[in-house]
């Protein structure tokens, strides 16, 4: 599996940051690439994403919720992926670290996605965290 990591400091407490990150269905408000997220129940969600010129849908399940420090998930279908937000209090607020692992089984598509994935995930992660921080400062 390919791994992408990204971290940023958000000027708010871990509790406030976690409260927004835990609302998975709101992630569509935080990124231009996330078209929508449907709540399926039992901590399961269907994500609709537009990336590398294609529409992607996949179901994920939140697998770990440890407020206010960890939120983790893994895909149930579609693009195989798993991710984890790790929050840590720092003097400036909260360090939020994202680790995302994914696997694409189609070799041709894998090359294209791998080339685009790192900057794409970085962009989505930055958008999400910038917009979470903006919402916290409203």
């Amino acid at each position: 599996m390919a791994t992408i990591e990204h971290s940023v400091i958000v000027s708010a407490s871990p509790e406030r940051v976690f409260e927004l990150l835990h609302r998975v269905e709101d992630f569509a408000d935080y990124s231009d690439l996330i078209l929508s997220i449907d709540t399926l129940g039992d901590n399961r969600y269907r994500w609709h994403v537009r990336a590398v010129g294609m529409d992607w849908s996949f179901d994920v399940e939140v697998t770990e919720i440890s407020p206010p420090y960890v939120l983790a998930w893994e895909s149930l279908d579609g693009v195989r992926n798993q991710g984890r937000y790790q929050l840590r209090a720092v003097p400036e607020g909260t360090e939020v670290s994202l680790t995302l692992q994914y696997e694409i089984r189609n070799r041709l598509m894998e090359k294209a996605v791998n080339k685009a994935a790192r900057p794409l995930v970085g962009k989505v992660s930055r958008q999400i965290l910038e917009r979470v921080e903006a919402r916290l400062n409203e």
Side-chain angles (χ1 to χ4, degrees):
M1 283 187 126
T3 300
I4 298 172
E5 296 177 329
H6 179 253
S7 67
V8 68
I9 304 291
V10 176
S11 59
S13 69
E15 291 79 10
R16 292 185 66 214
V17 175
F18 186 88
E19 182 182 328
L20 289 182
L21 289 177
H22 184 247
R23 294 186 208 151
V24 175
E25 62 277 7
D26 290 347
F27 274 44
D29 297 337
Y30 303 146
S31 174
D32 301 333
L33 300 175
I34 302 170
L35 302 174
S36 64
I37 299 174
D38 304 324
T39 303
L40 304 176
D42 296 324
N43 285 324
R44 293 176 181 214
Y45 303 87
R46 180 163 295 134
W47 288 59
H48 304 279
V49 177
R50 177 113 179 117
V52 291
M54 297 175 61
D55 290 339
W56 305 76
S57 290
F58 52 91
D59 293 353
V60 300
E61 179 176 17
V62 175
T63 56
E64 184 179 355
I65 304 170
S66 300
Y69 301 109
V70 177
L71 180 68
W73 65 91
E74 66 180 53
S75 63
L76 300 173
D77 65 3
V79 175
R80 186 170 170 221
N81 69 89
Q82 58 190 37
R84 176 184 199 87
Y85 277 114
Q86 184 83 41
L87 285 70
R88 182 174 67 92
V90 295
E92 303 89 345
T94 302
E95 179 183 37
V96 182
S97 298
L98 168 66
T99 303
L100 179 69
Q101 296 180 306
Y102 67 92
E103 180 178 31
I104 297 173
R105 296 188 176 112
N106 177 314
R107 291 267 185 215
L108 293 174
M109 190 175 290
E110 182 180 29
K111 280 187 142 190
V113 170
N114 283 344
K115 185 175 181 178
R118 196 166 307 279
L120 212 73
V121 169
K123 176 183 178 180
V124 170
S125 181
R126 278 190 306 278
Q127 278 185 347
I128 288 170
L129 294 173
E130 285 169 2
R131 292 176 185 178
V132 163
E133 185 170 29
R135 184 163 290 176
L136 288 168
N137 292 324
E138 289 178 348

